[in-house]
Amino acid sequence: MKIRYIIYSISIAMILTSCKSMITDVEIPANKTESELVIISYISPDDSLVKVKLYKSAAYFNNAGINEEDYYVKDGTITISDGTITKQFSYNAASKEYICTDNTFKIQAGANYTIETSTPDGKTNRATCTAVSDKVEDFSIEVSDSIINGQYSYGQIEYTIDISIPDIANQENYYRILAYNREDTMNTYPSLDEYKTDERLDGQDIKFRSKLFVSDTTKKMEVFLLTCDKAYYDYHKSVWNNNSGSPFSEPTMVYSNTENGMGVFCSYRWIRKELQLK
């Protein structure tokens, strides 16, 4: 009994000593106490407009009392260039985003683009992106099951959908499935397997099952398949993981590919199908 007691006492002493050694003064760099410019922009050859959202990041300290509206940057200067042509953006107060002032300027598949931003107080940010060239031209989606979800009083149906994507062979591919109902104000979305890659499935059909939660009045959905670049995939996956809602999940760093501040400049292509619901 005496031996066990001594070992136990030594263990406690080691733990306390270890705890003391973990207390260390950390010098926070001065630039980490200030906000940075944040670029959020997704470009596509299939879209009619080129848009950029510009924010300032929340400072590490002294950010109490700042509301969401304060993070929007409304007086920035933004340009986009393909190396030959440079176009300006103007701020749209209604959508809280910057839109290319030349609506004839179109993103070309496979072309390289650079976005540069600045603000009157001297902050800058810059990012480059290659527009996605190839895209999946067709995919299959069908309802395999449905149940009434009684959790909500206004009526909600949970649909199980089976999806098959014919992967583009001999290259890395990243995909996203999105669903919308323009006739219903209720939010509708896939809850599982929203993002997919062709890892170990190059050139094969990527088959998976997802779910849709919609109101009981919804008769059809618009389903979009996005063929996106790795930056788009990594950014959205990191945001999803960071907001998973699980009390046991660890916080993750949100992906960023800008050269000065933070944010993401990436690309995708899309096709749309109409899904009739049972």
Side-chain angles (χ1 to χ4, degrees), residues 15 113 116-117 120 125 139 172 218 251 271:
I15 292 172
Y113 295 91
E116 297 193 29
T117 66
N125 200 356
F139 69 104
E172 290 184 357
T218 303
I271 58 172

Side-chain angles (χ1 to χ4, degrees), residues 43-99:
I43 58 174
S44 174
D46 303 317
D47 290 342
S48 57
L49 295 176
V50 185
K51 303 177 181 180
V52 179
K53 287 186 178 292
L54 193 62
Y55 305 92
K56 60 181 178 181
S57 65
Y60 283 82
F61 305 102
N62 301 324
N63 58 7
I66 299 178
N67 58 49
E68 182 180 349
E69 189 70 23
D70 295 328
Y71 291 115
Y72 288 97
V73 176
K74 305 173 185 178
D75 58 354
T77 299
I78 303 179
T79 62
I80 187 170
S81 174
D82 61 3
T84 302
I85 301 173
T86 299
K87 296 295 182 179
Q88 300 278 340
F89 287 74
S90 61
Y91 186 71
N92 185 299
S95 60
K96 298 180 180 179
E97 60 191 354
Y98 292 80
I99 300 175

Side-chain angles (χ1 to χ4, degrees), residues 101-221:
T101 55
D102 184 354
N103 57 16
T104 65
F105 179 73
K106 305 297 182 185
I107 299 298
Q108 302 299 316
N112 298 318
Y113 295 91
T114 299
I115 279 181
E116 297 193 29
T117 66
S118 63
T119 56
D121 60 357
K123 289 184 172 62
T124 62
N125 200 356
R126 183 177 186 273
T128 60
C129 172
T130 300
V132 171
S133 179
D134 300 324
K135 70 174 180 179
V136 171
E137 297 290 350
D138 194 16
F139 69 104
S140 66
I141 179 169
E142 59 182 22
V143 176
S144 60
D145 193 18
S146 64
I147 61 172
I148 297 176
N149 190 326
Q151 182 179 357
Y152 302 95
S153 59
Y154 49 74
Q156 187 181 50
I157 300 178
E158 174 185 317
Y159 289 96
T160 301
I161 56 176
D162 289 319
I163 303 167
S164 180
I165 303 172
D167 180 58
I168 304 170
N170 302 317
Q171 64 183 45
E172 290 184 357
N173 295 299
Y174 303 86
Y175 303 106
R176 184 184 186 186
I177 290 286
L178 293 170
Y180 294 98
N181 176 16
R182 302 182 188 277
E183 298 177 356
D184 198 317
T185 58
M186 180 179 169
N187 188 28
T188 53
Y189 56 94
S191 66
L192 300 172
D193 291 324
E194 185 175 344
Y195 304 92
K196 284 290 181 181
T197 76
D198 64 348
E199 185 177 2
R200 296 189 296 274
L201 293 170
D202 181 58
Q204 303 178 41
D205 287 348
I206 301 174
K207 299 178 183 292
F208 60 102
R209 178 164 287 184
S210 189
K211 293 184 183 295
L212 287 173
F213 297 91
V214 302
S215 67
D216 54 9
T217 60
T218 303
K219 302 303 180 184
K220 62 182 179 180
M221 299 287 297

Side-chain angles (χ1 to χ4, degrees), residues 244-274:
S244 65
S246 170
F248 305 107
S249 63
E250 296 182 359
T252 59
M253 293 293 294
V254 174
Y255 174 86
S256 176
N257 69 347
T258 66
E259 297 179 15
N260 191 9
M262 296 184 291
V264 65
F265 181 35
C266 53
S267 178
Y268 64 90
R269 302 200 65 182
W270 58 268
I271 58 172
R272 182 185 69 88
K273 300 193 80 168
E274 187 175 281

